[in-house]
Amino acid sequence: MGRGRVELKRIENKINRQVTFSKRRSGLLKKAREISVLCDAEVALILFSTKGKLFHYSSDTCMERILERYERYSYAERQLAANDQQPKICEENWALEHAKLKARIEVLQRNQRHFMGEDLDGLTLKELQHLEHQLDSALKHIRSRKDKALQEQNNILAKKIKEREKAMVNEGGAQLEQQNHNMDDSSLLLPQTSLQSFNIIGSVSLF
């Protein structure tokens, strides 16, 4: 005889419930991988245990892309349904926008925790490699911006130094020209002793 239909309800025994969860979770993840490989389907599976532990599978290296695609499709479907209920369209649009923003915030918060090295236990090898690639790209971008800023500061300082050197050269040239001019004027004047000698010689000649 075949086994009778089992009524689906919450398993009261905590140990049995945990064992069943572990078995069904493994089977669910296996089925998700199989359908993604066999049927070339995009699959995203998210599962939280009663203790809040995350288990997930994604056929894409980045689950966010699948989630964003799901959000677009579900939003379009709900938008069509909202058009059939014109009096509530504004309220539904706000609710949909709120749901989209809330989902986006959760994705960003999860990514932030990953970037901080937190909640990495549930990530696959491909997801860890993708995370490492993102961190490397971000560091290269930061270094590039920092080097560019330093180069701009160096250019400004070099320009100021050249302007200062040019001003000093112009100032020195002006001083040298003034000194030469003073020397030319002084050469036209006879020394005081020469004038006295000239007067004495003139006086003797008169006698």
Side-chain angles (χ1 to χ4, degrees):
M1 294 179 61
R3 187 172 61 177
R5 185 176 180 180
V6 179
E7 181 182 1
L8 291 178
K9 63 179 182 179
R10 181 176 181 272
I11 300 174
E12 297 298 333
N13 186 281
K14 185 176 181 180
I15 297 177
N16 293 340
R17 186 166 63 244
Q18 183 62 33
V19 172
T20 302
F21 173 80
S22 179
K23 291 181 179 179
R24 295 296 181 94
R25 181 200 68 210
S26 300
L28 188 60
L29 293 172
K30 181 180 178 182
K31 292 295 183 182
R33 283 191 291 268
E34 288 176 354
I35 194 172
S36 66
V37 174
L38 295 175
C39 304
D40 194 23
E42 287 189 78
V43 180
L45 173 63
I46 300 175
L47 183 63
F48 287 97
S49 67
T50 55
K51 295 181 179 181
K53 189 174 182 180
L54 172 65
F55 302 91
H56 63 91
Y57 169 77
S58 173
S59 57
D60 197 322
T61 56
C62 182
M63 180 177 284
E64 283 75 7
R65 283 194 288 266
I66 300 179
L67 294 177
E68 289 175 356
R69 183 180 180 186
Y70 166 76
E71 290 175 3
R72 290 195 300 270
Y73 273 82
S74 61
Y75 176 79
E77 291 177 356
R78 289 194 293 265
Q79 189 71 15
L80 291 174
N83 291 335
D84 297 334
Q85 300 177 356
Q86 190 66 27
K88 298 182 179 180
I89 186 170
C90 293
E91 182 180 351
E92 291 183 0
N93 285 342
W94 280 111
L96 293 174
E97 189 68 20
H98 177 266
K100 286 179 62 180
L101 292 175
K102 185 178 180 181
R104 185 61 180 170
I105 290 173
E106 290 178 355
V107 171
L108 293 174
Q109 289 176 343
R110 185 172 65 251
N111 289 341
Q112 184 180 10
R113 290 195 299 270
H114 291 167
F115 289 142
M116 296 297 293
E118 302 174 357
D119 298 340
L120 301 179
D121 295 338
L123 297 181
T124 63
L125 179 60
K126 289 184 178 180
E127 289 172 338
L128 290 173
Q129 291 174 346
H130 181 70
L131 179 62
E132 182 181 6
H133 177 71
Q134 286 181 314
L135 290 173
D136 289 340
S137 299
L139 289 174
K140 289 179 181 178
H141 182 66
I142 292 172
R143 292 194 187 99
S144 177
R145 291 182 60 183
K146 185 176 180 180
D147 292 341
K148 185 178 179 181
L150 290 174
Q151 185 62 42
E152 291 177 353
Q153 292 180 356
N154 289 336
N155 293 338
I156 293 173
L157 291 175
K159 185 178 179 181
K160 289 182 178 180
I161 292 173
K162 289 182 178 180
E163 292 176 351
R164 181 60 180 167
E165 290 177 348
K166 184 177 180 181
M168 292 176 66
V169 170
N170 293 336
E171 183 180 355
Q175 293 178 353
L176 181 61
E177 183 178 356
Q178 183 64 32
Q179 291 176 0
N180 292 334
H181 180 70
N182 294 336
M183 291 177 64
D184 293 339
D185 291 342
S186 63
S187 63
L188 297 176
L189 300 175
L190 290 173
Q192 187 68 20
T193 54
S194 299
L195 289 175
Q196 294 176 353
S197 301
F198 179 77
N199 292 333
I200 295 172
I201 295 172
S203 300
V204 173
S205 298
L206 291 176
F207 288 108

